[in-house]
Amino acid sequence: MEKIYILNENGRFCGLRDRGEVHNQGILHSAVQCWIMNSKGEVLVQRRAATKDKSAGKWDVSFGGHCVKADKDEDILLANVIKEGKEELGLKIKADDVIKLGEVRYTSQENKNKELLGVFLIRVADNQKFVFEDGEVSEVKWMRPEDLRKNIQDKSKEYANRLGAVSLLQCYGY
């Protein structure tokens, strides 16, 4: 079973626990979301694979995931952004490429899934290639942030419900 970082109510790391246990008991835990942006100011959205246990087949943030154990001297959030980008989209991310936009608390599944999301942005070249080797992503597309926000409102059933963090793009002028 995957072990993920749990947090106290102040958002401080306080250990690792089994993912299933964390969700079953509604324990606050750490996760990352990362938006990928091209030179046109468009963000990449991914369609989650039909086999995913949550939000299967829905459009979601460029990539993200729960925070798992990082090396002792690593920044936990940054290490997990780099790991998730490689796993989900085949990206080779350097720490200098990552911009932290902020944090958002997210609760779903009848208060069983409580996350403190570190939300990040990475700019990539327009010709960036993506590889979906781990089976988590079925397709991607580029969208203008304002179109994404409108679609989330108008077609909410097509989108993962944790996309509220898209508002952080607007806060930074994206």
Side-chain angles (χ1 to χ4, degrees):
M1 182 59 82
E2 179 182 47
K3 292 204 180 275
I4 61 177
Y5 280 101
I6 60 171
L7 307 169
N8 66 22
E9 284 304 314
N10 295 323
R12 300 216 185 264
F13 293 100
C14 56
L16 290 161
R17 300 266 291 272
D18 287 335
R19 177 182 175 169
E21 178 185 352
V22 168
H23 284 166
N24 287 335
Q25 295 180 20
I27 299 170
L28 182 63
H29 55 283
S30 184
V32 293
Q33 283 190 346
C34 192
W35 293 100
I36 296 174
M37 183 176 279
N38 65 20
S39 69
K40 300 173 195 164
E42 299 167 321
V43 292
L44 188 79
V45 293
Q46 60 146 295
R47 185 180 298 273
R48 293 171 61 84
T51 56
K52 294 295 287 179
D53 60 341
K54 306 285 187 280
S55 300
K58 293 187 177 192
W59 291 103
D60 202 353
V61 66
S62 305
F63 67 87
H66 291 100
C67 289
V68 297
K69 187 165 177 56
D71 288 337
K72 183 179 178 184
D73 296 332
E74 283 186 304
D75 175 312
I76 293 167
L77 297 176
L78 181 59
N80 279 276
V81 166
I82 292 168
K83 178 189 82 66
E84 292 290 339
K86 182 173 177 38
E87 286 177 4
E88 291 185 29
L89 298 175
L91 295 173
K92 292 179 181 166
I93 301 167
K94 296 180 290 220
D96 292 344
D97 298 334
V98 182
I99 301 166
K100 185 170 186 182
L101 298 178
E103 293 181 342
V104 174
R105 282 194 185 232
Y106 165 76
T107 302
S108 68
Q109 299 152 16
E110 300 169 358
N111 290 326
K112 293 294 186 180
N113 187 24
K114 295 179 182 177
E115 295 178 339
L116 180 59
L117 296 169
V119 183
F120 298 85
L121 174 73
I122 298 172
R123 293 182 174 273
V124 298
D126 292 345
N127 62 351
Q128 174 70 51
K129 301 290 184 223
F130 302 102
V131 180
F132 319 130
E133 289 182 353
D134 72 350
E136 291 191 41
V137 177
S138 62
E139 66 178 301
V140 296
K141 67 180 177 180
W142 293 103
M143 294 185 77
R144 297 181 331 170
E146 58 270 22
D147 293 337
L148 176 59
R149 284 189 287 275
K150 183 167 177 21
N151 280 1
I152 291 168
Q153 288 178 337
D154 297 347
K155 303 174 184 177
S156 61
K157 294 204 182 301
E158 295 179 23
Y159 290 84
N161 61 355
R162 62 187 182 154
L163 282 174
V166 72
S167 63
L168 288 177
L169 290 170
Q170 190 172 8
C171 293
Y172 282 84
Y174 301 118

